[in-house]
Amino acid sequence: MLELSAPVIAIVGPTASGKTDAAQIVAERLGGEVVSADSMQIYRGMDIGTAKASLEEQAQVRHHLIDIIEPDDAMSVARFQELAREKIAELQA
């Protein structure tokens, strides 16, 4: 089980509800980083319709698990959970 050494804030909601913008604002104000859990933002080149943070926004706040695989690569929930847990543990170390 993943033991957290610092709080993790999850921003959840329906598609097109402003989660990406909210995550950017929260991370900027609290000095955190964003670990994306968007099922489409993990794919390189899937920029339209995903509200993926712009390169400028990503330069202001570090984002993780964005553009990590090609659209034709296989991904599962289990694999994504593993990657997310590893990234969160790394950031908290």
Side-chain angles (χ1 to χ4, degrees):
M1 188 83 163
L2 177 65
E3 291 190 34
L4 304 176
S5 61
V8 174
I9 298 170
I11 298 175
V12 299
T15 299
S17 62
K19 297 179 297 293
T20 299
D21 290 340
Q24 184 78 19
I25 292 167
V26 169
E28 285 175 356
R29 291 189 181 165
L30 298 179
E33 299 185 18
V34 174
V35 178
S36 177
D38 187 291
S39 65
M40 298 308 290
Q41 290 185 11
I42 61 171
Y43 295 105
R44 290 185 195 102
M46 302 288 261
D47 300 339
I48 297 173
T50 63
K52 196 179 290 184
S54 69
L55 294 179
E56 180 180 286
E57 290 168 323
Q58 291 183 49
Q60 293 170 351
V61 172
R62 287 191 65 198
H63 286 67
H64 305 276
L65 303 186
I66 293 178
D67 294 333
I68 59 172
I69 64 171
E70 296 298 328
D72 59 348
D73 289 342
M75 177 59 81
S76 67
V77 171
R79 176 67 179 138
F80 182 82
Q81 287 177 337
E82 180 181 324
L83 292 171
R85 287 183 179 118
E86 287 172 1
K87 183 51 68 178
I88 290 167
E90 175 187 319
L91 292 172
Q92 292 193 333

